[in-house]
Amino acid sequence: LRDGKTATISVYQTGNVSTISTNGKPDASLSPASAPPSPDEITMVMLGALPLAMHPDPKDIAIIGWGSGLTTHTILGSSAPRSVETIEIEDAMVQGARLFGERVERAYRGPRSHLRIDDARTYFSTGARRYDVIISEPSNPWVSGGASLFTKEFYSFLKSHLHEDGVLVQWVHMYEIDDALLATMMSALASEFRHADLFIANSVDLLIVARKAP
C-alpha cells in the first residue's frame, strides 16, 4: 500500500489471485503461472499479442499505462520489437507491480523495455515521437483523469504519432458504463481511425485494433 503523487496504489491477494488497485479500483489481476489465467490476463496478453500478429513490422511500440506490466512483458516475448516504451504517470503503480515477480519480469529487466514516468500526452509531444504501434490501456473512463483518453481529440493526437501503416490498440471497458457512453467512446475512435477490427477478450473487455489505412 503506497500513496503516490497522483493516486493510492495497493496490491493484495485473494486466494491465489493477486490484484493491483488504484484508489481502491482494481486495475489488473494475475494468477500464478501454474493456475488458469484470470479474465484480466487474457485481455492484457491479447493487448500485446494482437499488434505483433497484425502489424507487418512492429519495431517501435508505445504502451500507455503500466498496470501489472503484463502487456509490456508479453510484447517483449517477441524478437520483433526493437524498443518498447511504457508511459505511466504514477511511479507507485510501477513499484507495486514488481510484486507480480516473474510473471512480468521482462517488463522490468528486458534491455528493450523503457519506462517513462510521465503524462502520455506530454511525453508524446516532446521530440515529435512516432511509432509503429501504440497500445492504450488506461483505467476506466469514469476514473479521475481517464475520460480524456477516450475522446476524439486524444485519438487525433495519437494518430499524429503513428507511422502511416501504424496500429492503435485500444482497451475499452464495457462494465459500469451504459450503452450511450460506450457508443460515444466507439464513435470518437471511429471518427479518427476508419479501419478497425474488434475483439472480445472476455465478457466485459473489448479490444480494438485500429488503422489509418486499410
Side-chain angles (χ1 to χ4, degrees), residues 25-28 40 138-142 171-178 181-182 202-206:
K25 186 268 169 189
D27 274 331
D40 268 358
S139 195
N140 301 61
W142 44 262
W171 180 358
V172 177
H173 319 74
M174 296 188 292
Y175 58 94
E176 298 180 354
I177 61 174
D178 59 25
L181 177 56
L182 180 60
N202 54 51
S203 62
V204 295
D205 291 327
L206 268 181

Side-chain angles (χ1 to χ4, degrees), residues 45-182:
V45 169
M46 284 182 67
L47 280 164
L50 283 171
L52 294 174
M54 301 184 74
H55 190 286
D57 192 23
K59 292 297 185 187
D60 297 307
I61 297 175
I63 302 172
I64 300 172
W66 186 269
S68 67
L70 184 59
T71 297
T72 303
H73 175 84
T74 299
I75 289 262
L76 291 166
S78 167
S79 62
R82 65 185 172 192
S83 174
V84 180
E85 297 183 3
T86 309
I87 304 98
E88 170 59 52
I89 197 169
E90 180 51 72
D91 184 59
M93 174 70 76
V94 179
Q95 300 311 315
R98 286 185 182 275
L99 296 173
F100 292 122
E102 64 180 9
R103 298 299 316 279
V104 297
E105 184 174 10
R106 287 190 292 264
Y108 289 93
R109 298 188 179 183
R112 295 171 294 157
S113 180
H114 307 287
L115 169 64
R116 315 299 186 195
I117 302 297
D118 205 344
D119 170 75
R121 186 184 293 272
T122 302
Y123 180 71
F124 284 165
S125 295
T126 59
R129 306 174 193 280
R130 289 168 70 86
Y131 301 90
D132 300 305
V133 175
I134 296 176
I135 301 170
S136 182
E137 48 177 325
S139 195
N140 301 61
W142 44 262
V143 172
S144 178
S148 64
L149 302 182
F150 295 90
T151 61
K152 180 181 186 299
E153 291 75 17
F154 190 65
Y155 290 129
S156 175
F157 175 78
L158 291 183
K159 186 167 68 171
S160 69
H161 291 280
L162 282 169
H163 295 302
E164 284 306 309
D165 63 347
V167 168
L168 169 68
V169 185
Q170 176 70 58
W171 180 358
V172 177
H173 319 74
M174 296 188 292
Y175 58 94
E176 298 180 354
I177 61 174
D178 59 25
D179 290 348
L181 177 56
L182 180 60

Side-chain angles (χ1 to χ4, degrees), residues 150-156 159 183-196 210-212:
F150 295 90
T151 61
K152 180 181 186 299
E153 291 75 17
F154 190 65
Y155 290 129
S156 175
K159 186 167 68 171
T184 299
M185 293 159 56
M186 301 288 278
S187 176
L189 190 148
S191 68
E192 297 297 326
F193 293 89
R194 303 302 297 273
H195 308 278
R211 309 170 188 82
K212 295 182 183 182

